[in-house]
């Protein structure tokens, strides 16, 4: 794909552009190198705000009840840096808002949507000449992003997770993997967050697909602040990224003790003989925090980055503190994080709480569909109880 020096006219809001030469031409011209700025730290969480059809649990400061025998970390030093934005957004809205803000000082950032922008997309309103709605042409969108990256842009593309990871799988493999293009794919509606839309809009296989492509940074942030930090890092690094998020649920990110996302965020650390919850993504973290309330004193480690390189380092840190783990993730057990950690931790016991191998055939809200797949709080508590009564004799094999 070649870019011209002409700039196409701005389409009215709601009118989709196509991947034509005129649309691509709107991105041409001088592109002074901007910077994404420093990465502010995570603010302490309080209480998540739920959408009308999704129930959430209290987390962090407003959540788990701390009993007298809990041993929370209390490191000395200054308080973490704070992001002062007053409103907590869903993952996909936090992505759009943060990318719009970063693009104000970096005009190489380009936003591409697969007919999901809707009315009032903040990036389109602020930077219409760098916003492209390509319609339901996900593979072409990723291919176009590869060309934009080769031309010096920083393209961010977004579509439903099943259409990004499955429909556009070949384009993702070639663009993010083989070409190592600096393209970031943001995939909302991961897991079964599109519950009522049915099996065609569910995506419980994306981590397995993307983790098998070398060189791709994979993230599943929990909450507004983590999403913003991941987006900032994607802009700063220029590396291929796949960012997984849900639909409309809003969560307050867990507090962190540094000005960037830790490799392992220890929400609560217990003794080495105790079982440790490992939470992945929005719903895995929600369930882990609910289990912490039900069983005070349970260790909890939260992971944001899930690609092989990050998990290899995280596994080494986890193994320094615990030998038994219960991994909670909204994904199939096959190809998920629990399976990866079991291979990386052959001397440890890894139990998986994940979606089973069935296909949801009935509608329901997000939590109802998860429960039908065996992914709910009772399943987490049962796994904790089972892990606490077993040794590491069967280490290296994830159990369900």
């Amino acid at each position: 794909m070649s870019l011209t020096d002409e700039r196409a006219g701005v389409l009215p809001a709601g009118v989709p552009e196509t991947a034509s030469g005129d649309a691509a031409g709107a991105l041409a011209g001088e592109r002074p190198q901007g910077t994404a700025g420093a990465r502010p730290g995570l603010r302490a969480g309080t209480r998540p705000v739920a959408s009308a059809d999704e129930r959430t649990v209290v987390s962090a400061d407003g959540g788990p009840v701390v009993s007298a025998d809990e041993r929370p970390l209390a490191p000395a030093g200054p308080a973490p840096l704070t992001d002062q934005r007053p409103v907590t957004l869903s993952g996909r809205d936090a992505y759009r808002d943060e990318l719009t803000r970063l693009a104000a000082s970096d005009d190489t950032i380009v936003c591409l949507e697969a007919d999901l922008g809707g009315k009032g997309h903040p990036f389109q309103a602020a930077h219409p000449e760098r916003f492209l709605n390509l319609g339901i042409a996900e593979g072409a969108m990723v291919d176009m992003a590869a060309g934009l990256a080769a031309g010096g842009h920083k393209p961010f593309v977004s579509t439903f997770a099943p259409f990004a990871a499955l429909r556009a799988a070949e384009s993702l493999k070639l663009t993010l993997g083989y070409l190592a293009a600096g393209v970031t794919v943001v995939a909302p509606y991961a897991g079964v967050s599109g519950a009522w839309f049915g099996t065609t809009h569910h995506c419980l296989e994306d981590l397995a697909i993307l983790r098998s492509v070398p060189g791709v940074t994979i993230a599943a942030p929990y909450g507004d602040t983590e999403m913003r930090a991941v987006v900032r890092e994607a802009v700063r690094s220029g590396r291929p990224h796949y960012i997984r998020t849900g639909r409309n649920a809003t969560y307050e990110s867990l507090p962190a003790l540094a000005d960037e996302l830790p490799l392992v965020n220890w929400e609560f650390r217990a003794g080495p003989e105790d079982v440790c919850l490992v939470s992945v993504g929005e719903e895995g973290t929600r369930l882990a925090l609910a289990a912490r309330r039900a069983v005070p004193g349970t260790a909890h480690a939260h992971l944001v980055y899930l690609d092989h390189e990050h998990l290899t380092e995280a596994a080494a840190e986890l193994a320094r503190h615990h030998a038994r783990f219960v991994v909670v993730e909204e994904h199939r057990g096959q190809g998920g994080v629990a399976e990866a950690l079991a291979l990386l931790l052959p001397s440890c016991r890894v139990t998986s709480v994940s979606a089973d191998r069935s296909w949801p055939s009935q509608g329901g809200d997000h939590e109802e569909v998860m429960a039908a797949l065996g992914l709910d709080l009772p399943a987490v508590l049962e796994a904790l109880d089972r892990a606490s009564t077993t040794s590491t004799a069967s280490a290296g094999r994830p159990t369900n």
Side-chain angles (χ1 to χ4, degrees):
M1 183 190 68
S2 62
L3 301 183
T4 70
D5 288 333
E6 299 176 358
R7 290 188 178 273
V10 178
L11 296 177
V15 178
E17 297 188 42
T18 64
S20 66
D22 289 342
L27 303 172
E30 295 297 321
R31 297 183 297 272
Q33 294 296 322
T35 59
R39 294 180 288 166
L42 304 178
R43 63 177 179 269
T46 51
R47 180 183 295 270
V49 182
S51 60
D53 63 343
E54 294 178 292
R55 302 183 299 278
T56 62
V57 299
V58 176
S59 66
D61 294 353
V65 178
V66 180
S67 67
D69 63 347
E70 291 199 344
R71 292 156 285 178
L73 297 177
L81 299 177
T82 303
D83 188 331
Q84 297 297 333
R85 292 178 183 82
V87 178
T88 297
L89 301 175
S90 67
R92 61 174 177 165
D93 286 334
Y95 149 67
R96 293 171 177 175
D97 184 73
E98 188 66 17
L99 192 68
T100 302
R101 186 185 69 83
L102 294 171
S105 59
D106 185 347
D107 69 359
T108 65
I109 294 175
V110 184
C111 181
L112 296 84
E113 291 266 358
D115 210 23
L116 304 181
K119 295 182 179 179
H121 193 296
F123 196 102
Q124 183 179 25
H127 314 290
E129 75 285 357
R130 287 184 276 153
F131 178 86
L132 299 176
N133 185 345
L134 302 177
I136 51 173
E138 291 83 1
M141 177 175 67
V142 176
D143 294 342
M144 181 175 175
L148 291 170
H153 291 86
K154 298 172 184 174
F156 281 69
V157 304
S158 183
T159 185
F160 286 14
F163 308 144
L166 298 168
R167 184 179 294 172
E170 182 182 18
S171 292
L172 283 187
K173 182 186 77 170
L174 297 177
T175 295
L176 302 185
Y178 178 65
L179 296 176
V183 174
T184 296
V185 176
V186 180
Y189 282 70
V192 292
S193 56
W196 284 106
F197 295 98
T199 302
T200 58
H201 282 56
H202 297 163
C203 190
L204 294 163
E205 307 82 15
D206 56 334
L207 295 181
I209 294 169
L210 270 299
R211 290 193 66 260
S212 68
V213 180
V216 182
T217 298
I218 302 171
Y222 173 77
D224 178 305
T225 309
E226 283 190 3
M227 173 60 82
R228 293 180 187 275
V230 169
V231 171
R232 290 193 297 271
E233 175 59 18
V235 170
R236 186 202 65 79
S237 72
R239 288 172 50 85
H241 274 67
Y242 178 84
I243 304 175
R244 186 185 212 248
T245 189
R247 186 188 177 198
N248 292 325
T250 60
Y251 299 102
E252 197 73 24
S253 297
L254 300 178
L257 302 173
D259 60 354
E260 58 185 60
L261 293 175
L263 183 65
V264 178
N265 190 347
W266 292 96
E267 187 262 336
F268 180 74
R269 188 177 293 169
E273 72 286 354
D274 295 317
V275 177
C276 178
L277 280 167
V278 178
S279 65
V280 174
E282 291 183 354
E283 297 308 302
T285 308
R286 175 183 68 80
L287 288 172
L289 291 170
R292 284 265 296 117
R293 288 200 306 170
V295 188
T298 304
H300 174 208
H302 171 60
L303 304 180
V304 175
Y305 288 105
L306 310 176
D307 50 88
H308 178 73
E309 289 73 18
H310 281 95
L311 279 187
T312 299
E313 296 181 34
E317 180 174 339
L318 291 170
R320 284 195 293 269
H321 300 283
H322 295 277
R324 290 177 293 176
F325 302 94
V326 172
V327 182
V328 190
E329 55 185 322
E330 189 183 7
H331 190 273
R332 302 277 186 204
Q334 297 71 31
V337 174
E339 190 172 81
L341 287 176
L343 291 172
L344 292 167
L345 298 169
S347 62
C348 297
R349 173 83 175 188
V350 179
T351 300
S352 173
V353 180
S354 54
D356 62 27
R357 293 178 60 83
S358 65
W359 298 99
S361 58
Q362 297 181 341
D365 68 19
H366 191 178
E367 291 186 28
E368 288 172 338
V369 176
M370 286 174 60
L373 288 165
L375 185 53
D376 55 12
L377 180 58
V380 178
L381 296 177
E382 192 276 333
L384 277 174
D385 183 65
R386 186 169 71 250
S388 67
T389 59
T390 59
S391 68
T392 57
S394 300
R397 298 193 300 272
T399 59
N400 292 312

